[in-house]
Amino acid sequence: MFNRSRRNLASWFTLTMGSILIMFAAIVYYWEVIDKLEELDRLLYKKTSVMAANVKSELHNGQRQLDLEHVPLLGSMVQPLPDSQLVYASWYDEQKQLVQFFGTIPSDRLSISGGFDTIKTDSKVWLRQVTLPVYQNSLLIGYLQAAMPMTATENALAEFRMVLAISAPITLGVVALTGWWLGGLAMQPIRHNYDHLQRFTADASHELRSPLTAIISNAQYGFLSKTTDLEVQRQRFHKIFDVAKSMSTLVSNLLFLARYQGKLPTESLQVTDLNNLLVQIIDDYATQPDAQHLSLVSKLLNNSITVLGDADLLRQVVINLLNNSCKYTPAGGQVQLRLFTQSRWAVIQIIDNGIGIPEADLPYIFERFYRVDKKRSRQTGGFGLGLAIAQQIIQAHGGKISIKSVFQKGTTLEITLPLK
Amino acid sequence: MRILLVEDDLEQLEPLQGILSEAGYIVDAAEDGEIAQWLISQKNYDLLIVDWMLPTISGLSLCRQYRLSGKNAPVLMLTAKDTTADKVMGLDAGADDYLVKPADLVELLARVRALGRRVPNWQGYSLRIADLQLHLAELSVERSQVKVELSPREGQLLEYLMRHPNQVLTRNQIEDALWECGMEPESNALTVLIRKLRQRLQLLGAGDWIRTVYGMGYRLNPQESN
């Protein structure tokens, strides 16, 4: 599945970038063609202008006389232009009749009145031709037509095309490889999330199916069984009730986890005095059966420490963590609740000298459904969601939660929350 | 039929064990893989019902080891794992049947019956040896249109003997097969039970089918009616 998505991403990337590249190459080539043609035209124009400048027209007895003898290529009185590159040159009079020419034999009459053309000769060579109306004293004295072969321009353009033809596929290849690499990079967090979700779903479905199975089996056993003993039936109902109750806790925990993703909305945040909150929790908690077998010590501050938060959620976190600590601390042990500040943070610590957590389990301890000892947690009624919920609540408050533990020695849980 | 039921969740184990016992099976229950393994090494089971996710040894490796040890009783895997890949893995590990939780107990019982039918003398929901027929559902034994009711215990004894006809079965074997694990029978309990069953079969003219092999045990010796 992921490889297919990655391939898709890479091919779409290559297709898009490739189209942009080809469009870009086409535009660059188009501009190069225009540029080269303009260059050729300028050269041709320069040459024909030099020729035209040498045409002399004089009035002799009211008759206009044209002197083409001093015109390069056309006249005999001048040296031919060195490296003129002109294939032909022709002079037409103002009536567009041919007067004199050099090179191939042109038509007798000029059909156009001026401008640049591209023409193809019989020998299949492309020529650039210019037809220049020549004026003297604002009077049209004739037309000069000349042409240059386009071979040099064509060669330069062919070379440019070759460069594009080689570099474009190479670039496309690089783009494809980059696309594949970027696709992999983009897939990584998705794959990670997917694996996480898969594991979570598998765990959740297992955790939900177990109580469901217990409920269904007990109920079905109840009406399939032939026993008429009321006490036995009552016990069965009791079992169904217990299992359904624990399942309801699990479902509300799961819903809770689903509901509080991300930061809490600002309207639900209130100024909360942590000192007061912890004093209340300690007072309530001391009477709980979990806390009866050990000494619960609190080291709080005298002044108030305020944070922005949801007091109920924060209370739930602290009670959750206290529950854990008390549950896994043997009789006669000690659980400490401490509150202090550290620069701009409020720190709550819950320290116990209980059974601790093996080092190998520590990195996973905040994962949903993670249980160090499956059997023991089940017996104590845990689903492995308590720490995940605590972490989510603290993160939603912009705080952090961390754990330090030495196996068989004890555990320290630390919550840091930004001070108001 | 003797069943080993392996399930780590007590809440699920109890009703399963209850319904199977009420259906007339002898059920040993184990809460983890290690206990199940020990029980398998101690007793011969006719059927194993195994949960996949178990502490210590998983149901999957339990199933594999069971097959590797050469034992061939059917194994029914009962688990919450429901993907096709899981089912394939479970069946390939040696399970004969696969049931996804939450399973209907009625369906579970039907599957247990289906797996229990894998003995050669099975006919309908009854076992047949020569012209003697044991009806398992109504717990009665029939021969030549004469029917005699049996107590659950007598039924279980006759079922065990009929599943192993013509074999000499030691007292220990029979006691192992009939009494649940940890329930020690009194010294003469089996003798009394055999005597009761013989009396029942006597009514059908088959009282001498259960032979006592002196110093060894008992043997079901079917005789064709003349």
Side-chain angles (χ1 to χ4, degrees):
Chain A
M1 185 178 84
F2 287 106
N3 268 341
R4 206 181 61 213
S5 302
R6 190 183 179 179
R7 257 201 313 278
N8 276 347
L9 267 177
S11 39
W12 277 109
F13 181 74
T14 313
L15 204 71
T16 321
M17 293 308 278
S19 312
I20 293 173
L21 179 77
I22 286 167
M23 251 154 58
F24 179 70
I27 290 170
V28 165
Y29 181 71
Y30 175 74
W31 280 113
E32 183 72 11
V33 169
I34 302 236
D35 202 36
K36 287 276 180 218
L37 265 184
E38 268 178 9
E39 199 178 300
L40 185 71
D41 288 353
R42 265 201 306 274
L43 189 67
L44 187 58
Y45 182 74
K46 211 171 114 192
K47 287 184 179 184
T48 38
S49 304
V50 170
M51 285 170 74
N54 286 302
V55 179
K56 299 249 176 359
S57 165
E58 284 169 352
L59 276 172
H60 262 288
N61 305 327
Q63 281 276 308
R64 185 168 291 277
Q65 288 221 324
L66 205 65
D67 177 12
L68 296 169
E69 285 306 300
H70 296 278
V71 179
L73 294 175
L74 289 176
S76 52
M77 303 291 282
V78 284
Q79 290 288 313
L81 283 173
D83 187 27
S84 77
Q85 292 178 337
L86 291 177
V87 181
Y88 60 80
S90 338
W91 180 265
Y92 297 86
D93 63 13
E94 61 267 36
Q95 270 83 44
K96 296 189 176 175
Q97 292 292 330
L98 181 68
V99 177
Q100 206 162 333
F101 71 92
F102 153 80
T104 48
I105 304 167
S107 61
D108 283 351
R109 225 187 124 69
L110 188 64
S111 52
I112 43 172
S113 50
F116 289 93
D117 305 289
T118 304
I119 51 170
K120 199 178 183 185
T121 62
D122 300 337
S123 52
K124 290 185 175 166
V125 177
W126 287 93
L127 296 177
R128 188 71 173 163
Q129 176 190 273
V130 67
T131 312
L132 213 65
V134 182
Y135 294 89
Q136 198 170 335
N137 302 326
S138 313
L139 203 71
L140 181 71
I141 56 167
Y143 296 91
L144 182 63
Q145 189 172 57
M148 261 176 86
M150 292 177 74
T151 329
T153 311
E154 269 175 32
N155 286 347
L157 285 178
E159 210 169 282
F160 187 56
R161 272 202 305 275
M162 177 77 106
V163 169
L164 284 183
I166 293 172
S167 58
I170 292 176
T171 317
L172 260 182
V174 174
V175 165
L177 283 177
T178 317
W180 180 252
W181 177 70
L182 283 177
L185 218 61
M187 291 319 287
Q188 226 166 26
I190 301 173
R191 187 192 288 258
H192 179 77
N193 276 353
Y194 179 80
D195 288 346
H196 200 261
L197 190 69
Q198 283 282 88
R199 208 167 51 239
F200 173 72
T201 317
D203 286 341
S205 82
H206 180 251
E207 292 302 327
L208 285 171
R209 261 189 200 152
S210 297
L212 264 181
T213 308
I215 292 170
I216 292 176
S217 306
N218 275 298
Q220 214 173 5
Y221 179 34
F223 59 71
L224 287 177
S225 170
K226 292 164 198 121
T227 181
T228 48
D229 188 342
L230 274 180
E231 182 55 25
V232 171
Q233 301 278 30
R234 210 184 58 82
Q235 276 173 4
R236 217 162 276 148
F237 280 129
H238 197 72
K239 212 170 275 169
I240 292 174
F241 172 73
D242 282 346
V243 177
K245 217 168 78 176
S246 90
M247 191 176 160
S248 142
T249 314
L250 172 65
V251 170
S252 41
N253 282 347
L254 283 175
L255 287 177
F256 184 91
L257 279 171
R259 202 175 297 140
Y260 290 97
Q261 297 280 12
K263 287 236 169 191
L264 287 173
T266 33
E267 59 268 23
S268 70
L269 298 178
Q270 281 162 352
V271 179
T272 310
D273 184 355
L274 283 181
N275 226 13
N276 265 345
L277 189 78
L278 294 189
V279 167
Q280 276 173 23
I281 291 173
I282 284 283
D283 284 348
D284 295 346
Y285 200 78
T287 53
Q288 296 280 315
D290 268 340
Q292 297 282 303
H293 62 284
L294 34 83
S295 64
L296 198 57
V297 183
S298 57
K299 286 185 180 167
L300 308 177
L301 298 174
N302 291 327
N303 53 328
S304 66
I305 293 177
T306 51
V307 293
L308 265 183
D310 184 320
D312 289 335
L313 291 180
L314 290 176
R315 179 197 309 273
Q316 190 179 342
V317 172
V318 176
I319 288 181
N320 240 336
L321 301 183
L322 270 179
N323 268 336
N324 267 348
S325 290
C326 293
K327 216 176 268 176
Y328 298 125
T329 303
Q334 192 193 57
V335 173
Q336 259 187 63
L337 182 66
R338 297 177 59 187
L339 173 66
F340 55 92
T341 55
Q342 215 167 48
S343 65
R344 304 219 28 84
W345 298 87
V347 183
I348 302 172
Q349 281 186 337
I350 293 155
I351 307 164
D352 68 53
N353 55 4
I355 57 174
I357 298 160
E359 206 175 324
D361 292 303
L362 277 178
Y364 311 104
I365 204 79
F366 288 107
E367 274 186 23
R368 291 165 185 186
F369 289 117
Y370 191 84
R371 283 185 289 211
V372 175
D373 182 347
K374 200 177 160 197
K375 206 163 183 190
R376 189 180 64 199
S377 304
R378 213 177 241 186
Q379 280 161 2
T380 47
F383 295 108
L385 287 177
L387 283 177
I389 288 176
Q391 189 186 37
Q392 200 161 317
I393 293 177
I394 295 301
Q395 280 174 353
H397 280 85
K400 270 176 277 176
I401 184 164
S402 63
I403 190 161
K404 275 184 231 139
S405 186
V406 182
F407 189 51
Q408 305 292 10
K409 289 266 168 66
T411 307
T412 303
L413 272 152
E414 190 177 282
I415 299 167
T416 46
L417 289 166
L419 283 171
K420 198 211 160 231
Chain B
M1 209 159 82
R2 190 179 189 94
I3 297 175
L4 175 64
L5 175 63
V6 195
E7 167 63 65
D8 64 324
D9 188 353
L10 260 182
E11 257 104 36
Q12 297 174 46
L13 179 73
E14 279 167 7
L16 285 178
Q17 192 177 8
I19 200 81
L20 286 168
S21 302
E22 280 198 17
Y25 302 107
I26 302 145
V27 186
D28 286 340
E31 277 178 64
D32 71 48
E34 266 177 8
I35 297 172
Q37 213 168 34
W38 181 80
L39 282 171
I40 288 168
S41 70
Q42 297 298 309
K43 302 225 173 217
N44 281 319
Y45 290 97
D46 300 306
L47 173 68
L48 275 71
I49 301 176
V50 182
D51 181 20
W52 183 318
M53 280 175 278
L54 293 170
T56 63
I57 300 168
S58 82
L60 201 71
S61 36
L62 193 71
C63 194
R64 276 203 199 101
Q65 285 166 19
Y66 183 74
R67 288 288 176 245
L68 279 177
S69 67
K71 297 194 173 171
N72 53 7
V75 176
L76 167 63
M77 199 157 270
L78 182 64
T79 170
K81 286 178 170 269
D82 63 343
T83 65
T84 308
D86 291 332
K87 288 176 190 168
V88 169
M89 208 194 278
L91 292 170
D92 282 348
D96 296 83
D97 201 354
Y98 195 102
L99 201 56
V100 176
K101 285 181 191 173
D104 193 311
L105 289 188
V106 177
E107 185 184 349
L108 178 80
L109 287 176
R111 284 182 192 249
V112 168
R113 286 197 297 274
L115 291 168
R117 278 200 290 269
R118 300 186 177 183
V119 278
N121 50 5
W122 186 269
Q123 277 200 337
Y125 195 52
S126 60
L127 288 169
R128 189 186 185 95
I129 299 272
D131 58 350
L132 186 78
Q133 211 168 353
L134 170 67
H135 301 291
L136 288 163
E138 54 190 66
L139 271 184
S140 64
V141 61
E142 187 181 347
R143 192 185 181 210
S144 319
Q145 270 92 49
V146 186
K147 220 181 231 185
V148 174
E149 302 274 315
L150 298 177
S151 76
R153 223 71 184 109
E154 291 159 5
Q156 285 170 352
L157 174 60
L158 186 57
E159 184 190 348
Y160 183 66
L161 293 174
M162 284 177 85
R163 281 178 187 270
H164 306 90
N166 296 315
Q167 278 179 41
V168 178
L169 302 163
T170 64
R171 289 181 68 91
N172 268 344
Q173 268 178 310
I174 301 174
E175 282 172 1
D176 268 358
L178 256 59
W179 271 266
E180 276 155 34
C181 223
M183 310 272 279
E184 283 299 306
E186 287 183 25
S187 59
N188 66 339
L190 183 60
T191 320
V192 173
L193 190 59
I194 292 270
R195 193 167 62 227
K196 277 186 182 166
L197 184 60
R198 271 190 184 136
Q199 282 168 2
R200 303 275 187 190
L201 291 177
Q202 196 64 55
L203 300 170
L204 304 171
D208 57 344
W209 282 32
I210 301 174
R211 296 281 174 82
T212 307
V213 183
Y214 285 101
M216 290 180 78
Y218 301 95
R219 183 174 68 181
L220 183 71
N221 203 15
Q223 291 160 348
E224 295 292 336
S225 60
N226 327 322

